[in-house]
Amino acid sequence: MYQPFNEQFAAATRQFADTAAQVNRLALDNAEAVFGLQLSAIEDRVNATFAFLGEAAEIRDFDGFKNLWPKGTQVARENFERGVATGQEVFGRTMKTQGAISELAKSQFEAAARGVQGEVEKTVKAASVK
């Protein structure tokens, strides 16, 4: 009596576990890519900043500081631009990942709805035959 219910429950549980594994894989792939992008951006910014600080440490007179000021603003501007570009790329990747996860969930709901609809139709046919 309970065998069909148990089989349906087991199938639904397997499908849920498979979907959860796919979602986790997508999320981990995104996290890995985002971490790599941010780490690369931080490395670039740190290298540029330390190069600037190295130049600043060698200055001995006021004219040197006057010449260094435009370089400092250039480094700050480039660091800001890199940060913004990285943020935009991270946002874009995250949106693509969320879209893929949403599509996966949508397909699972549609498959479940088709299965329920099929069972309802079977039940209606069986009831109408009696």
Side-chain angles (χ1 to χ4, degrees):
M1 175 176 171
Y2 294 109
Q3 187 64 26
F5 176 74
N6 287 341
E7 289 173 4
Q8 288 177 348
F9 183 74
T13 303
R14 276 192 301 277
Q15 184 178 12
F16 176 75
D18 291 342
T19 303
Q22 290 174 344
V23 167
N24 285 338
R25 183 187 50 79
L26 288 171
L28 286 174
D29 288 347
N30 182 55
E32 181 182 359
V34 164
F35 184 72
L37 284 171
Q38 290 176 338
L39 193 60
S40 175
I42 288 170
E43 181 182 10
D44 290 344
R45 288 184 280 186
V46 166
N47 287 338
T49 301
F50 278 123
F52 170 75
L53 292 176
E55 283 185 42
E58 294 176 2
I59 294 181
R60 302 289 182 229
D61 60 352
F62 184 71
D63 287 335
F65 278 116
K66 283 180 18 181
N67 294 334
L68 186 66
W69 184 258
K71 291 180 184 178
T73 57
Q74 178 69 22
V75 168
R77 184 179 64 78
E78 288 174 359
N79 283 346
F80 178 76
E81 288 174 353
R82 283 186 197 122
V84 169
T86 301
Q88 289 174 341
E89 191 169 349
V90 164
F91 184 75
R93 284 180 179 265
T94 302
M95 292 303 293
K96 285 180 185 177
T97 300
Q98 291 300 324
I101 290 171
S102 297
E103 285 298 317
L104 185 62
K106 180 182 173 186
S107 69
Q108 294 301 317
F109 282 125
E110 289 173 350
R114 284 191 302 270
V116 169
Q117 184 66 30
E119 291 299 318
V120 168
E121 289 172 1
K122 285 181 192 176
T123 304
V124 168
K125 285 181 184 177
S128 64
V129 170
K130 293 182 181 181

